[in-house]
Amino acid sequence: MDKFGNLTGWDLEGFHCGGDTEAWRRLGSHVVTVDDPVRGPVRGTRFAVWAPNAARVQVIGDFNWWQGDDMEIVPGSGVWALWVEGVDVGTQYKYKLQHSDGTWQEKADPYARFADIPPGNASIVWESTHDWGEQESRWLQQRAETNVYESQMSIYEVHLGSWRPGLSYLELAEQLPAYVKWQGYTHVELMPVMAHPFPGSWGYQVTGYYAPDARLGTPDDFRVLVEALHAEGIGVILDWVPGHFPKDDWALGRFDGTALYEHADPRQGEQLDWGTYVFNFGRNEVKSFLVSNALYWVQQFHVDALRVDAVASMLYLDYSRPEGGWVPNQFGGRENLEAIDLLRYVNKHLYEREPGVIMIAEESTSFDGVTRPTNWNGLGFGFKWNMGWMNDTLRYISRDPFHRQYHHDDLTFAMVYAYSENFILPISHDEVVHGKGSMLNKIPQDDWRKFATLRAFYSYMWSFPGKQLLFMGQEFAQRPEWSEATGLEWWVDSLHGHNGIRQLIRRMNEIQADHPALYELDCSPAGFTWINADDSAHNTYSYVRASRDGQLVACVTNFSPNPIAIYPVRLPRPGRWVEILNTNSTDFDGNGDYLNSNGVLASPTVAGADEWAAACLNVPPLGSVWLRHESE
C-alpha cells in the first residue's frame, strides 16, 4: 500500500523550485483513496509537511490518541509524509517535530485548510462539499468582462467579528449582503479572515494562512457568505498579509527548529513595529507558499480581489529600522529585491490566471510604478490606496474652519499626483482607532459643524477622482472609535445627524451609479477639470467631472461655516444645470437652506473672453453641491 498517499518527489519539484502555484494540493492534509492489493480502494488521509531540517517528524491527533505516527521523507524532497487509513474530515491533528538538538515541538499545519477555535491550535482535516450555483458562474463571467478602472467601485470595509458581534458566517450571509446592497456599495472589503489566535490583531497576525477563522464557522460557511454577496451584485475584496507573521511557537516561526519561513538574521527576519517575523521572500518554498496562498483564496473561495497589507514594509529593507539595523541588498540599496520579485510574480500570475481579479496595494510611500504593469517594470497591482490624500484631507477637516483658509493646498495637492497611480481613496479602520478618534470626532466645535462638515467631506470624497473606501460605522458617523471588542453603535443610526449621514452615503452611491462622469475616468486626467482651485478665502473647492460620452457633473464644496448665497462660477457648457445633490437638504438632516431647487442657468460669456459659461449658485455653509448639465 502507498505509504505516501500517491505523493512523489516529482510532485514536489515545483514546490522546491518556487513555481508551485497550487502547493496546497500537495502539502497539508488531504482525504485520498489508495489501492490495497487485497482490499482494493481504501480511504484515509495523507499528511505532508515541509521540514527539511527536522531529525524526526510525527503526525499526532485524536485518531491516535495524540501519541504520534512516524512520518517519512518523500525521496528527493524535504517533505515528510504519511497516509493514515480511516482518518477522515473533521479529524484534529498536529505535527510533532524533533529538532537537531533532540528537543521536540508540536506545530500546526502551515497548509491546514481548517483549524480549531482559539485558544485551541490544532489543525483539522477538511474537504469542501460546497456546490457553487449557476448564478455564481454568471458572476465570474461578468467579472471577467468588466473594466474595473472605468466602473463604479464604492467599498465598505468590514471586520466580520464586530460588524454585528456574535454572527456566524451563515448569519452574516443573511444580513450583510442586504445591508451593503441597500447602502449602494459595489464591494465589501473584509479584514483578514485567516485563522489568528489574538482577536486584538484584527486578523493581521495570521497563524493559519489557508484556514478561515473558525470562530465564525467552517470554510464552506465562508463560501456561503461570499456567494451571498455575489448574489446581490457585491464584489468581495479580502485583506491578505504576506508581509509578516507572528512568533507563536506552535505556528510558522522556527518551524523545524531553524529559520525556515523567515530569515535567521533578525535584521532581515523580524518586523520591529509588530513584534513579528518577516518571510524569507527569496526562498523558493516560501515563494510557493505565498503565491499558492494568494491563488487559493481567489480560486477556492471566489474572492474577487486581494488587498495586500503593509506593502511598504515589504519593499524596503530599512522599513522602520534604526541605522545599522538592516542589511542592504546585493547592490548596496535599501530596496527588498526579493520581495519586489515576489509581488510581481503574484500579481502577474493572478491577473493571467483569474480573469477579472483585482490586486490592491496598501502602500504608503512614493515607490514608483505600484500600479504599472510588470512588463513595464512596475509592481503590477491594479490599484493603490492613496494614503497621501487620506492624511491631507483628515488633517484639513480637523482644523478650525477659520484656519482652513491657510491650509487650502492640503486638498489641492492630491491633483499633482492623482494620475501617477490608479488610486483608491481610503478612510479605513486605521483612521478610527488608537486615539485617532472617529470621523465625527476628528472635526472640531459643535454637533452642527461636525455633522455638516462630515457630509461635505464625504461629498468631496465621492466626487474626487479615485474609488472610495469607507470603514463600517463611519457611514452613520458613530461617535466613539471602533473597537473589535464591542462592535458598532447601531443604536445611533436612526438618530438625527447620524441617519442623515447614512442617507447621504446611500444617495451618493445611487447618484454615482447613475452618472458615469463620477467614476468612468477616475484614472484619466480627461475626467477632471478645476473650476476654481484657489478660493481659499471661502474654503471652497470646485471642479467638473466628465464621462467619455460628454456627461458633465460640477461639484462645489464649501468647508467654511459661512453660506455663499450667490457664488459665481464658470461652467464648461452654457445652459441648464440641475442640482442632483445638496448636502444641506433635509433628507440628510440639513436645514434645507441654500438649495438650488430650480437649477442653475449658465450663460455664455463675452465673446473672446473664454469658452466657459458664467453662472451663480447657492452653496450652503459646510456643504456641498453637485450639478449635472442637462441642456444647452
Side-chain angles (χ1 to χ4, degrees), residues 205-439:
Q205 296 211 9
V206 180
T207 51
Y209 273 82
Y210 287 82
D213 184 5
R215 296 176 181 91
L216 307 184
T218 70
D220 279 357
D221 292 344
F222 180 64
R223 288 179 171 92
V224 170
L225 172 58
V226 172
E227 191 166 17
L229 287 161
H230 287 168
E232 295 292 357
I234 300 159
V236 179
I237 304 169
L238 183 61
D239 279 11
W240 185 53
V241 192
H244 62 108
F245 60 93
K247 295 181 177 180
D248 300 72
D249 62 4
W250 49 268
L252 285 181
R254 303 296 193 263
F255 190 80
D256 61 1
T258 67
L260 194 62
Y261 286 86
E262 69 276 27
H263 283 280
D265 188 336
R267 296 175 300 168
Q268 298 171 284
E270 295 188 21
Q271 179 50 253
L272 304 179
D273 283 354
W274 304 308
T276 52
Y277 287 130
V278 178
F279 282 105
N280 182 348
F281 300 112
R283 191 162 197 171
N284 285 338
E285 292 86 353
V286 174
K287 288 182 182 179
S288 292
F289 177 83
L290 290 173
V291 69
S292 295
N293 189 246
L295 180 64
Y296 176 74
W297 291 100
V298 173
Q299 184 189 94
Q300 298 298 304
F301 291 90
H302 291 193
V303 166
D304 304 292
L306 295 178
R307 174 268 199 185
V308 184
D309 180 65
V311 170
S313 74
M314 300 174 65
L315 296 177
Y316 297 104
L317 295 165
D318 64 345
Y319 179 87
S320 198
R321 296 182 184 277
E323 185 176 351
W326 57 283
V327 179
N329 63 34
Q330 61 187 2
F331 303 109
R334 58 195 285 258
E335 296 80 11
N336 190 332
L337 303 179
E338 295 169 339
I340 291 169
D341 178 68
L342 173 80
L343 290 170
R344 287 174 172 162
Y345 179 31
V346 170
N347 289 335
K348 183 175 185 294
H349 184 76
L350 262 67
Y351 274 113
E352 291 177 350
R353 186 82 171 268
E354 296 292 327
V357 72
I358 311 168
M359 297 298 292
I360 302 168
E362 185 217 11
E363 204 283 309
S364 55
T365 74
S366 56
F367 190 92
D368 183 51
V370 173
T371 60
R372 198 163 58 226
T374 55
N375 58 345
W376 291 0
N377 205 34
L379 289 184
F381 285 95
F383 288 97
K384 170 181 171 174
W385 276 20
N386 193 335
M387 309 296 279
W389 172 91
M390 177 272 296
N391 284 313
D392 290 344
T393 55
L394 295 188
R395 184 170 60 249
Y396 180 83
I397 65 170
S398 68
R399 299 184 189 279
D400 184 291
F402 177 79
H403 295 133
R404 289 173 185 160
Q405 61 186 309
Y406 305 113
H407 302 275
H408 196 73
D409 60 351
D410 279 353
L411 266 62
T412 59
F413 180 67
M415 286 310 300
V416 173
Y417 60 87
Y419 304 106
S420 61
E421 305 279 4
N422 304 321
F423 282 121
I424 289 173
L425 310 179
I427 301 297
S428 74
H429 65 277
D430 277 332
E431 312 322 316
V432 293
V433 292
H434 299 326
K436 297 178 183 177
S438 67
M439 285 299 293

Side-chain angles (χ1 to χ4, degrees), residues 57-75:
V57 180
Q58 296 179 334
V59 58
I60 60 176
D62 53 16
F63 61 91
N64 62 12
W65 298 278
W66 302 94
Q67 295 304 301
D69 291 331
D70 282 319
M71 304 175 73
E72 295 184 31
I73 286 279
V74 177

Side-chain angles (χ1 to χ4, degrees), residues 147-216:
N147 180 347
V148 296
Y149 306 104
E150 296 191 0
S151 300
Q152 183 191 19
M153 185 182 290
S154 177
I155 305 166
Y156 186 55
E157 187 189 22
V158 177
H159 178 262
L160 289 177
S162 63
W163 182 69
R164 288 179 179 163
L167 298 186
S168 66
Y169 292 130
L170 296 180
E171 291 165 330
L172 284 161
E174 296 175 355
Q175 298 183 34
L176 182 61
Y179 179 77
V180 175
K181 182 179 182 180
W182 180 83
Q183 279 285 142
Y185 290 100
T186 65
H187 292 73
V188 295
E189 179 174 321
L190 305 179
M191 293 165 69
V193 301
M194 298 82 177
H196 56 281
F198 178 47
S201 78
W202 312 328
Y204 292 100
Q205 296 211 9
V206 180
T207 51
Y209 273 82
Y210 287 82
D213 184 5
R215 296 176 181 91
L216 307 184

Side-chain angles (χ1 to χ4, degrees), residues 50-56 78 80 97-100 256-260 283:
W50 177 52
N53 302 304
R56 186 179 173 191
W80 301 72
L97 295 86
Q98 185 180 38
H99 303 159
S100 59
D256 61 1
T258 67
L260 194 62
R283 191 162 197 171

